Amino acid sequence: MCIVFIGSLTLQFFLPMIKPGGMARTLFVQAVLNIEMFLCMSFPYTQAKGFSFDLRAIPMILGPLYGGPVTSATMLTLFLTYRIFIGGPQTMKGLVIGISLVGFSLLMSRYFTDAPRAKKVVLAAAPMVLLLSGLDILLWHALEDVHGRILILVAFDFINLILLTATILGMEYVAENFKLSQEINRTEKLHVVGELAASIAHEIRNPLTVTRGFLQLAIQSHRVPPDEKDYLATAVDELDRAHGIINDYLSLARPSTDESTSIDLDELVRHVVDTLSPYAHLHNVKVSLHVSSRVCVPGDSKKLTQLFVNVIKNAVEAMPAGGLVTIRTQCSKSRGTVSIRDTGIGMSNEELKRLGNPFYSTKANGTGLGLMASYQICRSLGGKIEVSSSPGKGTEFTVYLPLTKCP
Ligand code: ADP
Ligand code: MG
């Protein structure tokens, strides 16, 4: 019990800090659970005609669930080798049980990763219950202590199930807390940047307004020749553009108090794609848009446009040699989804972790503010953004937004 306890604690403590999907995570899960299984098998509680009572089933279920096929394979190899080495009259049964247990858990692992907490417990308990019922039948006849056997078996089943459930609940709880603390960290950083942006933008806006006023006067003056007025008009346009950018920055700082209206997501995304099509063309990128039936989300159309412009622009920029951006809108029971997938340079786990942090950019002339704004806008609308990426292959941004009734 101690072994399982220490193993579970180690996993609970360190696992949430390792990014899912990476090699480091697989290796870590493998190491901890393999050692746990090895120790469990080495120090069984009692023996009955070659049967040993130990909690090896717990790491053997957790391994496939949290570590996937690779962990299952190493675990099985270690298990088979060690079990044959231990030997005894029940070796054959032991081997068959072990292989079935890992195999069944691996089947469950396909549904495990994205499942809610309660479902995870059920998915892990299923192979355990099956194993325990099988073992109970086998042991019923094998146990020498005829009077105490009910007690032994019930205690064995109980401890196995309780420890398995506790480990999973603990791991999920720690993982959720870890995510939350990261989120708080990020929000704090955003707050600081927002305040800075607001104060600087204010200072810049005033001189801009004054300059624009004088330029306007010059345009109306009779003493300025007409062809020079064109230059002045261009200067005014550029000032307006700068003004627009500053306003965007200010919107980062301002808490969103805007009235939210019902927005047709498909129409909005289509509009963004149209707006960005010259930009995509310039980068030799083709954009393919697949819209579902009508999806409406609550929000402010300017902000939502900014959100998608930032994400789609990044997708285009991620493909220096050109390529394809696939955008898909979908509608599920409670939320609208927009996925933006590119076939570009992709990102490593380290880079993924830094996504959305202020001023994080890998581009020569990047600001590192685009995604930060997108994340903030999405959060303020009650949605979330998920990113999956593999270096050299491409990236997929999925934006989830709550649904509302279409007008
Ligand atoms: P910027 O575009 O100014 O660099 P962003 O906040 O928009 O700032 O993006 C931050 C960084 O995230 C980018 O510099 C890039 O390294 C990375 N990134 C964002 N989207 C993608 C993508 N689709 N593919 C690869 N890297 C991306
Ligand atoms: Mg960008």
Side-chain angles (χ1 to χ4, degrees), residues 310-311 313-318 340 342 344-347 351 355-357 360-363 365-373 389 394-397:
N310 292 342
V311 177
K313 220 167 137 262
N314 281 343
V316 171
E317 287 161 3
I340 296 118
D342 65 60
I345 49 174
M347 282 172 277
E351 288 170 321
L355 230 48
N357 280 343
Y360 168 66
S361 174
T362 53
K363 296 170 196 165
N365 49 1
T367 59
L369 287 167
L371 278 187
M372 182 188 75
S389 184
T395 308
E396 178 165 14
F397 276 78

Side-chain angles (χ1 to χ4, degrees), residues 202-233:
H202 246 344
E203 293 303 318
I204 296 177
R205 218 159 34 160
N206 293 343
L208 279 188
T209 315
V210 176
T211 315
R212 191 183 190 284
F214 282 118
L215 283 176
Q216 206 82 54
L217 280 180
I219 289 177
Q220 283 156 10
S221 157
H222 300 299
R223 273 174 289 163
V224 179
D227 50 339
E228 281 180 21
K229 282 187 181 173
D230 283 349
Y231 299 151
L232 295 179

Side-chain angles (χ1 to χ4, degrees), residues 168-245:
I168 291 179
L169 287 182
M171 274 171 55
E172 295 307 315
Y173 178 74
V174 176
E176 274 165 31
N177 267 349
F178 187 73
K179 253 193 184 163
L180 203 69
S181 71
Q182 273 191 330
E183 192 65 14
I184 291 172
N185 247 334
R186 180 177 286 194
T187 318
E188 253 164 30
K189 273 189 211 159
L190 281 183
H191 188 71
V192 174
V193 173
E195 281 193 341
L196 268 178
S199 57
I200 295 173
H202 246 344
E203 293 303 318
I204 296 177
R205 218 159 34 160
N206 293 343
L208 279 188
T209 315
V210 176
T211 315
R212 191 183 190 284
F214 282 118
L215 283 176
Q216 206 82 54
L217 280 180
I219 289 177
Q220 283 156 10
S221 157
H222 300 299
R223 273 174 289 163
V224 179
D227 50 339
E228 281 180 21
K229 282 187 181 173
D230 283 349
Y231 299 151
L232 295 179
T234 311
V236 170
D237 283 349
E238 288 302 302
L239 277 184
D240 285 345
R241 207 161 70 89
H243 205 258
I245 293 172

